[in-house]
Amino acid sequence: IAIKIIITNIQCACDDDDFYCNNNVTTPAATKKEEPSITVLSRQTSATMAKQTITDPRFPQRLVIVAGTYDGVLAGWDTVEHVREQDKNDIELKLLRRNDGTHLKLSFAMAAHEGSVRCLDISTATSPSIPVKHGDSSEEKNTEKNKKRKRVDESKNNEDDKVGEHSDETPEPGSLLSGGFDETINVFNLQKHNQTGELKTPNDLGSPLCCSFAPPSSSSTSPSTHALVGLTSGKVVLYKKRDWSVQHVLSGHDDGGVQCLAVHPTGRMALTGGRDGKIILWDLMKGRLAFVHKLPSRGKGKGRKETVNHIIWSDDGNRYAFCYGTKITARDVTSGEDLLDVDLPGRVNQLAFIGGPEGLFVAAACDDGGLPVLEVGQLEEEEDANTRRAIMAIEPVEKVVAGDDRLKCIESVAGGSGFLVVIANSGGVVSLLDLEGAA
C-alpha cells in the first residue's frame, strides 16, 4: 500500500544525494494558520517485510506515507525500513528505529520546495520479473507459414505460463511526484531514496494545485505512463513519464485554477474540477475535452461560481463523486443517474469511496469536524425515495468555528477491509481510521 499525506510543519535534516531520517527530525505542533490537505493512493503488495509484517486482515500488508508541508519539506514513513549502508552501525539511529510497537517508521525527510507543497502522487514500480510482449515482425517475414504458426503458438504458451507464475506479484511504490508553490515539479525514486528529476511548469501557467499519475496507482491494469498536473492558470498539463516532456496542454477551465483532478482507473480519461464551477471530462487518448458540466451559480444575483473542492472515481470506474459547498453528488457513469445527491450542514472538503460486500459508501471530511458516511446505491423497497442511509462516524464540533478540529482531507486505503481511510484536520493531525463499523 502506498499512501501520501500533506500535513503542516516538520523540521528535518537531509543531504543532497540521498534522503533519509535521523534523530534531529521532529514533528512539532502546527504553528501556522494554513490548513493541511492530503491525498492518498494505495496498493496491496506481497513484499516480505520481516519484523514489520501486519497480520491483522483489516490492514494492508504494507503502508507508505509521504507528507508534504507548508515549509516545502517532504517526509516519509514506511513499514519496510530503509537504512543507508553507511548508517547500519549508527547506534543513535538504531535507538531511533527500535521497535516501539508501531508499524510505521520514519524513513526520510528533506527540503524539496521553496514554499508550500501543493500536491503529491505516487506511482508503482514495474516488476522486472513480468515479461514484456514484443512484436514478431521477423516471423512475419518467414514464408514457411506452418512453422511460423507453430513457433508463435509455442511462444505464446510459454509466455502465458511465465505471466501466470508472477500473476500474484504486485508492484511496490516507485516514483513520488510533488508540486510546489515555487512552480517546480520534483520526481523522486522511493526505492532508491533519491531525486531523479526536477522541472519547471510551462511559462506563465502558474503553480501546481493538483496532480496524478495515469493510469493511477490504484489501477491494477497497467503501470503509469503519464502524469497530469492541474495549474493555477486553469490549464492541465499532460506529461510523458518516460522523459517528462509535455505531450498536451489542455485548456477548458477559467483563470481561477484547476482545484482537483481524478484519473480513471483505465488511464484513458480524467475528470477535473475548477474554481469556475466546471467539471470537465478529458479524453486522454486524444488529448482533448470530451464533456463539460457547469454547476449552478449561487448568491443573490446568481453570479458567484461554485468551487469543486474534490472529485473521485470508484475503484471499478463505474461511478464518480464530487463535492462543492455543502453538497455531495455521486453519479453512475453509464446512465448518468444521480446515485447520491445530498446537502449537509457543513462545508464538504473532500470525499472517499469505501466499501465491501455490504455495499458502496462515501465518507466526507467536513469543515465542522464531522465525518458522515453515506450509502451509494439502491434503497430497499419499503424505504422512501428521499431516504438516505447514513451515519455520523465523527460528530461535528458544537461551536461556531471548528478551528483545528476541521477535517480538511480524507482518502481511502485499498487493500484490507476496504473501509480504511486516512484523515487530516486543520491542526495537522493525521489519523488512520477503520469505518467498517460506521458502514
Side-chain angles (χ1 to χ4, degrees):
I1 297 294
I3 295 183
K4 53 190 185 306
I5 305 173
I6 300 178
I7 56 176
T8 51
N9 278 341
I10 293 180
Q11 298 175 358
C12 75
C14 61
D15 63 19
D16 295 332
D17 299 324
D18 190 16
F19 48 94
Y20 63 100
C21 71
N22 60 26
N23 57 346
N24 293 323
V25 180
T26 59
T27 55
T31 58
K32 296 191 175 183
K33 294 183 179 179
E34 291 98 332
E35 299 158 349
S37 60
I38 82 170
T39 53
V40 173
L41 62 85
S42 51
R43 175 176 290 277
Q44 197 162 8
T45 176
S46 58
T48 303
M49 287 170 289
K51 297 180 181 180
Q52 298 294 336
T53 302
I54 301 176
T55 57
D56 193 324
R58 295 177 302 167
F59 297 98
Q61 294 178 358
R62 183 177 180 181
L63 191 65
V64 177
I65 298 178
V66 179
T69 76
Y70 288 103
D71 294 329
V73 172
L74 292 177
W77 294 261
D78 198 342
T79 52
V80 177
E81 188 175 17
H82 175 81
V83 182
R84 301 189 308 170
E85 188 67 28
Q86 59 266 40
D87 293 334
K88 287 186 177 180
N89 297 322
D90 191 305
I91 297 178
E92 291 184 354
L93 287 179
K94 286 183 178 180
L95 291 175
L96 178 68
R97 294 187 174 101
R98 64 184 176 181
N99 190 353
D100 56 1
T102 61
H103 295 291
L104 288 169
K105 301 295 180 182
L106 188 62
S107 60
F108 67 85
M110 60 178 174
H113 294 277
E114 296 179 2
S116 61
V117 179
R118 296 292 187 88
C119 57
L120 295 171
D121 199 14
I122 298 175
S123 69
T124 51
T126 56
S127 175
S129 60
I130 300 178
V132 180
K133 293 185 178 181
H134 299 282
D136 46 40
S137 57
S138 60
E139 288 189 309
E140 291 178 359
K141 298 178 182 180
N142 195 328
T143 57
E144 300 177 10
K145 295 184 180 180
N146 293 334
K147 293 182 179 180
K148 172 187 170 182
R149 292 193 187 99
K150 184 177 180 180
R151 284 195 299 269
V152 171
D153 291 340
E154 290 177 352
S155 175
K156 287 183 178 180
N157 291 334
N158 293 334
E159 194 170 9
D160 292 339
D161 292 340
K162 291 180 182 178
V163 173
E165 291 173 3
H166 302 285
S167 59
D168 293 335
E169 296 184 7
T170 52
E172 296 182 357
S175 297
L176 167 66
L177 184 69
S178 69
F181 179 75
D182 55 2
E183 300 185 1
T184 62
I185 300 171
N186 292 329
V187 186
F188 304 92
N189 186 314
L190 290 180
Q191 293 185 326
K192 297 181 179 180
H193 279 216
N194 59 11
Q195 184 171 353
T196 58
E198 177 181 330
L199 58 150
K200 284 282 187 180
T201 57
N203 291 337
D204 302 325
L205 294 187
S207 58
L209 289 176
C210 50
C211 62
S212 176
F213 284 101
S217 295
S218 57
S219 172
S220 59
T221 56
S222 58
S224 301
T225 58
H226 293 75
L228 276 79
V229 179
L231 304 171
T232 53
S233 62
K235 301 293 193 295
V236 179
V237 180
L238 179 62
Y239 291 95
K240 293 181 181 178
K241 185 169 174 280
R242 179 181 58 205
D243 55 6
W244 293 103
S245 61
V246 176
Q247 182 168 343
H248 294 291
V249 176
L250 307 175
S251 301
H253 289 284
D254 296 344
D255 294 338
V258 182
Q259 183 71 12
C260 55
L261 66 84
V263 178
H264 192 268
T266 61
R268 295 176 176 270
M269 53 185 174
L271 286 169
T272 58
R275 297 176 181 176
D276 53 3
K278 294 179 183 178
I279 296 176
I280 298 180
L281 176 67
W282 302 96
D283 183 344
L284 299 183
M285 302 300 292
K286 298 180 180 179
R288 66 185 185 185
L289 185 150
F291 181 77
V292 178
H293 172 70
K294 293 184 179 181
L295 300 176
S297 301
R298 58 189 173 97
K300 293 183 179 180
K302 298 294 183 180
R304 186 177 178 182
K305 297 178 181 179
E306 294 280 5
T307 296
V308 183
N309 295 322
H310 199 216
I311 193 164
I312 54 174
W313 290 98
S314 61
D315 288 340
D316 58 9
N318 294 328
R319 285 149 288 194
Y320 67 95
F322 58 92
C323 60
Y324 61 97
T326 59
K327 297 204 66 174
I328 299 175
T329 302
R331 286 180 180 159
D332 181 83
V333 173
T334 304
S335 64
E337 177 187 0
D338 284 350
L339 304 175
L340 180 68
D341 189 23
V342 297
D343 201 344
L344 299 179
R347 179 178 183 270
V348 184
N349 294 315
Q350 282 196 0
L351 305 172
F353 275 120
I354 59 174
E358 298 86 353
L360 185 66
F361 304 85
V362 166
C366 298
D367 224 33
D368 58 7
L371 179 58
V373 179
L374 305 100
E375 185 173 24
V376 178
Q378 301 295 327
L379 299 174
E380 300 293 339
E381 294 182 359
E382 63 273 11
E383 292 179 324
D384 185 78
N386 295 323
T387 300
R388 286 290 174 254
R389 285 178 285 185
I391 190 171
M392 192 67 73
I394 298 179
E395 293 291 336
V397 178
E398 294 182 358
K399 53 186 177 182
V400 178
V401 180
D404 288 348
D405 295 317
R406 289 179 294 174
L407 295 183
K408 302 301 297 181
C409 323
I410 184 170
E411 292 282 353
S412 58
V413 178
S417 66
F419 289 91
L420 297 179
V421 296
V422 177
I423 63 172
N425 64 17
S426 295
V429 179
V430 180
S431 306
L432 175 66
L433 303 179
D434 185 358
L435 298 179
E436 188 167 10

PDB file of all heavy atoms in Angstrom, residues 7-12 26-32 34 68-73 427-428:
ATOM      1  N   ILE A   7       0.694  17.464   5.436  1.00  0.00           N
ATOM      2  CA  ILE A   7       0.394  17.966   6.766  1.00  0.00           C
ATOM      3  C   ILE A   7       1.133  19.274   6.981  1.00  0.00           C
ATOM      4  O   ILE A   7       1.666  19.846   6.048  1.00  0.00           O
ATOM      5  CB  ILE A   7       0.778  16.940   7.852  1.00  0.00           C
ATOM      6  CG1 ILE A   7       2.259  16.554   7.715  1.00  0.00           C
ATOM      7  CG2 ILE A   7      -0.094  15.716   7.774  1.00  0.00           C
ATOM      8  CD1 ILE A   7       2.760  15.635   8.796  1.00  0.00           C
ATOM      9  N   THR A   8       1.200  19.751   8.221  1.00  0.00           N
ATOM     10  CA  THR A   8       1.902  21.008   8.485  1.00  0.00           C
ATOM     11  C   THR A   8       3.300  20.751   9.004  1.00  0.00           C
ATOM     12  O   THR A   8       3.818  19.660   8.900  1.00  0.00           O
ATOM     13  CB  THR A   8       1.098  21.847   9.484  1.00  0.00           C
ATOM     14  OG1 THR A   8       0.789  21.036  10.613  1.00  0.00           O
ATOM     15  CG2 THR A   8      -0.188  22.337   8.870  1.00  0.00           C
ATOM     16  N   ASN A   9       3.909  21.750   9.677  1.00  0.00           N
ATOM     17  CA  ASN A   9       5.338  21.825   9.957  1.00  0.00           C
ATOM     18  C   ASN A   9       6.035  20.516  10.317  1.00  0.00           C
ATOM     19  O   ASN A   9       5.586  19.789  11.174  1.00  0.00           O
ATOM     20  CB  ASN A   9       5.577  22.793  11.116  1.00  0.00           C
ATOM     21  CG  ASN A   9       5.595  24.211  10.648  1.00  0.00           C
ATOM     22  OD1 ASN A   9       5.781  24.463   9.471  1.00  0.00           O
ATOM     23  ND2 ASN A   9       5.386  25.144  11.555  1.00  0.00           N
ATOM     24  N   ILE A  10       7.180  20.272   9.663  1.00  0.00           N
ATOM     25  CA  ILE A  10       8.100  19.201  10.053  1.00  0.00           C
ATOM     26  C   ILE A  10       9.513  19.764   9.928  1.00  0.00           C
ATOM     27  O   ILE A  10       9.857  20.348   8.900  1.00  0.00           O
ATOM     28  CB  ILE A  10       7.956  17.960   9.156  1.00  0.00           C
ATOM     29  CG1 ILE A  10       6.597  17.312   9.374  1.00  0.00           C
ATOM     30  CG2 ILE A  10       9.057  16.960   9.456  1.00  0.00           C
ATOM     31  CD1 ILE A  10       6.389  16.095   8.521  1.00  0.00           C
ATOM     32  N   GLN A  11      10.306  19.634  10.954  1.00  0.00           N
ATOM     33  CA  GLN A  11      11.705  20.016  10.877  1.00  0.00           C
ATOM     34  C   GLN A  11      12.503  18.787  10.469  1.00  0.00           C
ATOM     35  O   GLN A  11      12.237  17.698  10.951  1.00  0.00           O
ATOM     36  CB  GLN A  11      12.200  20.535  12.230  1.00  0.00           C
ATOM     37  CG  GLN A  11      11.468  21.796  12.689  1.00  0.00           C
ATOM     38  CD  GLN A  11      11.889  22.212  14.068  1.00  0.00           C
ATOM     39  OE1 GLN A  11      12.688  21.536  14.692  1.00  0.00           O
ATOM     40  NE2 GLN A  11      11.350  23.326  14.525  1.00  0.00           N
ATOM     41  N   CYS A  12      13.485  18.976   9.597  1.00  0.00           N
ATOM     42  CA  CYS A  12      14.152  17.800   9.055  1.00  0.00           C
ATOM     43  C   CYS A  12      15.634  18.056   8.828  1.00  0.00           C
ATOM     44  O   CYS A  12      16.102  19.182   8.860  1.00  0.00           O
ATOM     45  CB  CYS A  12      13.523  17.361   7.735  1.00  0.00           C
ATOM     46  SG  CYS A  12      13.973  18.416   6.373  1.00  0.00           S
ATOM     47  N   THR A  26      11.905  16.077  13.919  1.00  0.00           N
ATOM     48  CA  THR A  26      10.819  16.150  14.888  1.00  0.00           C
ATOM     49  C   THR A  26       9.546  16.533  14.176  1.00  0.00           C
ATOM     50  O   THR A  26       9.556  17.027  13.049  1.00  0.00           O
ATOM     51  CB  THR A  26      11.119  17.200  15.973  1.00  0.00           C
ATOM     52  OG1 THR A  26      11.308  18.476  15.354  1.00  0.00           O
ATOM     53  CG2 THR A  26      12.360  16.829  16.757  1.00  0.00           C
ATOM     54  N   THR A  27       8.420  16.323  14.818  1.00  0.00           N
ATOM     55  CA  THR A  27       7.129  16.717  14.271  1.00  0.00           C
ATOM     56  C   THR A  27       6.377  17.529  15.311  1.00  0.00           C
ATOM     57  O   THR A  27       5.503  17.014  16.002  1.00  0.00           O
ATOM     58  CB  THR A  27       6.302  15.483  13.877  1.00  0.00           C
ATOM     59  OG1 THR A  27       6.190  14.634  15.026  1.00  0.00           O
ATOM     60  CG2 THR A  27       6.954  14.741  12.750  1.00  0.00           C
ATOM     61  N   PRO A  28       6.702  18.821  15.475  1.00  0.00           N
ATOM     62  CA  PRO A  28       6.030  19.644  16.462  1.00  0.00           C
ATOM     63  C   PRO A  28       4.629  19.999  16.037  1.00  0.00           C
ATOM     64  O   PRO A  28       4.236  19.781  14.891  1.00  0.00           O
ATOM     65  CB  PRO A  28       6.914  20.899  16.506  1.00  0.00           C
ATOM     66  CG  PRO A  28       7.494  20.983  15.132  1.00  0.00           C
ATOM     67  CD  PRO A  28       7.700  19.557  14.715  1.00  0.00           C
ATOM     68  N   ALA A  29       3.885  20.568  16.952  1.00  0.00           N
ATOM     69  CA  ALA A  29       2.523  21.003  16.631  1.00  0.00           C
ATOM     70  C   ALA A  29       2.582  22.108  15.592  1.00  0.00           C
ATOM     71  O   ALA A  29       3.545  22.860  15.491  1.00  0.00           O
ATOM     72  CB  ALA A  29       1.831  21.503  17.895  1.00  0.00           C
ATOM     73  N   ALA A  30       1.505  22.233  14.814  1.00  0.00           N
ATOM     74  CA  ALA A  30       1.466  23.231  13.754  1.00  0.00           C
ATOM     75  C   ALA A  30       1.527  24.638  14.345  1.00  0.00           C
ATOM     76  O   ALA A  30       0.876  24.928  15.331  1.00  0.00           O
ATOM     77  CB  ALA A  30       0.195  23.056  12.930  1.00  0.00           C
ATOM     78  N   THR A  31       2.317  25.486  13.720  1.00  0.00           N
ATOM     79  CA  THR A  31       2.456  26.851  14.197  1.00  0.00           C
ATOM     80  C   THR A  31       1.876  27.851  13.214  1.00  0.00           C
ATOM     81  O   THR A  31       1.794  29.025  13.517  1.00  0.00           O
ATOM     82  CB  THR A  31       3.938  27.187  14.424  1.00  0.00           C
ATOM     83  OG1 THR A  31       4.653  27.002  13.196  1.00  0.00           O
ATOM     84  CG2 THR A  31       4.538  26.274  15.483  1.00  0.00           C
ATOM     85  N   LYS A  32       1.463  27.377  12.051  1.00  0.00           N
ATOM     86  CA  LYS A  32       0.925  28.287  11.043  1.00  0.00           C
ATOM     87  C   LYS A  32      -0.595  28.170  10.983  1.00  0.00           C
ATOM     88  O   LYS A  32      -1.183  27.188  11.409  1.00  0.00           O
ATOM     89  CB  LYS A  32       1.523  27.983   9.666  1.00  0.00           C
ATOM     90  CG  LYS A  32       3.022  28.235   9.622  1.00  0.00           C
ATOM     91  CD  LYS A  32       3.520  28.182   8.190  1.00  0.00           C
ATOM     92  CE  LYS A  32       4.986  28.541   8.110  1.00  0.00           C
ATOM     93  NZ  LYS A  32       5.478  28.575   6.737  1.00  0.00           N
ATOM     94  N   GLU A  34      -2.225  28.137   8.140  1.00  0.00           N
ATOM     95  CA  GLU A  34      -2.633  27.435   6.938  1.00  0.00           C
ATOM     96  C   GLU A  34      -3.178  26.055   7.290  1.00  0.00           C
ATOM     97  O   GLU A  34      -2.792  25.449   8.280  1.00  0.00           O
ATOM     98  CB  GLU A  34      -1.456  27.281   5.971  1.00  0.00           C
ATOM     99  CG  GLU A  34      -1.014  28.594   5.354  1.00  0.00           C
ATOM    100  CD  GLU A  34       0.166  29.183   6.076  1.00  0.00           C
ATOM    101  OE1 GLU A  34       0.288  28.901   7.286  1.00  0.00           O
ATOM    102  OE2 GLU A  34       0.946  29.916   5.448  1.00  0.00           O
ATOM    103  N   GLY A  68       3.906  16.220   2.733  1.00  0.00           N
ATOM    104  CA  GLY A  68       4.485  17.492   2.329  1.00  0.00           C
ATOM    105  C   GLY A  68       3.983  18.596   3.230  1.00  0.00           C
ATOM    106  O   GLY A  68       2.849  18.549   3.703  1.00  0.00           O
ATOM    107  N   THR A  69       4.799  19.609   3.488  1.00  0.00           N
ATOM    108  CA  THR A  69       4.452  20.642   4.451  1.00  0.00           C
ATOM    109  C   THR A  69       4.372  22.006   3.788  1.00  0.00           C
ATOM    110  O   THR A  69       4.773  22.188   2.639  1.00  0.00           O
ATOM    111  CB  THR A  69       5.487  20.714   5.588  1.00  0.00           C
ATOM    112  OG1 THR A  69       6.662  21.363   5.095  1.00  0.00           O
ATOM    113  CG2 THR A  69       5.856  19.321   6.076  1.00  0.00           C
ATOM    114  N   TYR A  70       3.882  22.965   4.558  1.00  0.00           N
ATOM    115  CA  TYR A  70       3.832  24.342   4.085  1.00  0.00           C
ATOM    116  C   TYR A  70       5.212  24.978   4.039  1.00  0.00           C
ATOM    117  O   TYR A  70       5.378  26.057   3.471  1.00  0.00           O
ATOM    118  CB  TYR A  70       2.896  25.163   4.976  1.00  0.00           C
ATOM    119  CG  TYR A  70       1.444  24.816   4.770  1.00  0.00           C
ATOM    120  CD1 TYR A  70       0.768  24.021   5.680  1.00  0.00           C
ATOM    121  CD2 TYR A  70       0.758  25.280   3.658  1.00  0.00           C
ATOM    122  CE1 TYR A  70      -0.561  23.695   5.486  1.00  0.00           C
ATOM    123  CE2 TYR A  70      -0.570  24.962   3.452  1.00  0.00           C
ATOM    124  CZ  TYR A  70      -1.234  24.167   4.377  1.00  0.00           C
ATOM    125  OH  TYR A  70      -2.552  23.841   4.174  1.00  0.00           O
ATOM    126  N   ASP A  71       6.186  24.341   4.631  1.00  0.00           N
ATOM    127  CA  ASP A  71       7.564  24.822   4.563  1.00  0.00           C
ATOM    128  C   ASP A  71       8.333  24.192   3.416  1.00  0.00           C
ATOM    129  O   ASP A  71       9.550  24.403   3.307  1.00  0.00           O
ATOM    130  CB  ASP A  71       8.295  24.526   5.879  1.00  0.00           C
ATOM    131  CG  ASP A  71       7.715  25.312   7.042  1.00  0.00           C
ATOM    132  OD1 ASP A  71       7.221  26.424   6.798  1.00  0.00           O
ATOM    133  OD2 ASP A  71       7.727  24.812   8.173  1.00  0.00           O
ATOM    134  N   GLY A  72       7.671  23.414   2.575  1.00  0.00           N
ATOM    135  CA  GLY A  72       8.341  22.801   1.433  1.00  0.00           C
ATOM    136  C   GLY A  72       9.096  21.527   1.752  1.00  0.00           C
ATOM    137  O   GLY A  72       9.924  21.089   0.958  1.00  0.00           O
ATOM    138  N   VAL A  73       8.807  20.911   2.896  1.00  0.00           N
ATOM    139  CA  VAL A  73       9.504  19.697   3.326  1.00  0.00           C
ATOM    140  C   VAL A  73       8.676  18.470   2.968  1.00  0.00           C
ATOM    141  O   VAL A  73       7.449  18.472   3.086  1.00  0.00           O
ATOM    142  CB  VAL A  73       9.772  19.737   4.849  1.00  0.00           C
ATOM    143  CG1 VAL A  73      10.326  18.404   5.345  1.00  0.00           C
ATOM    144  CG2 VAL A  73      10.733  20.865   5.170  1.00  0.00           C
ATOM    145  N   GLY A 427      -5.461  21.111  12.493  1.00  0.00           N
ATOM    146  CA  GLY A 427      -4.392  21.163  13.464  1.00  0.00           C
ATOM    147  C   GLY A 427      -3.166  20.389  13.065  1.00  0.00           C
ATOM    148  O   GLY A 427      -2.183  20.351  13.813  1.00  0.00           O
ATOM    149  N   GLY A 428      -3.194  19.737  11.899  1.00  0.00           N
ATOM    150  CA  GLY A 428      -2.045  18.983  11.427  1.00  0.00           C
ATOM    151  C   GLY A 428      -2.005  17.554  11.923  1.00  0.00           C
ATOM    152  O   GLY A 428      -0.980  16.889  11.791  1.00  0.00           O
TER     153      GLY A 428
END
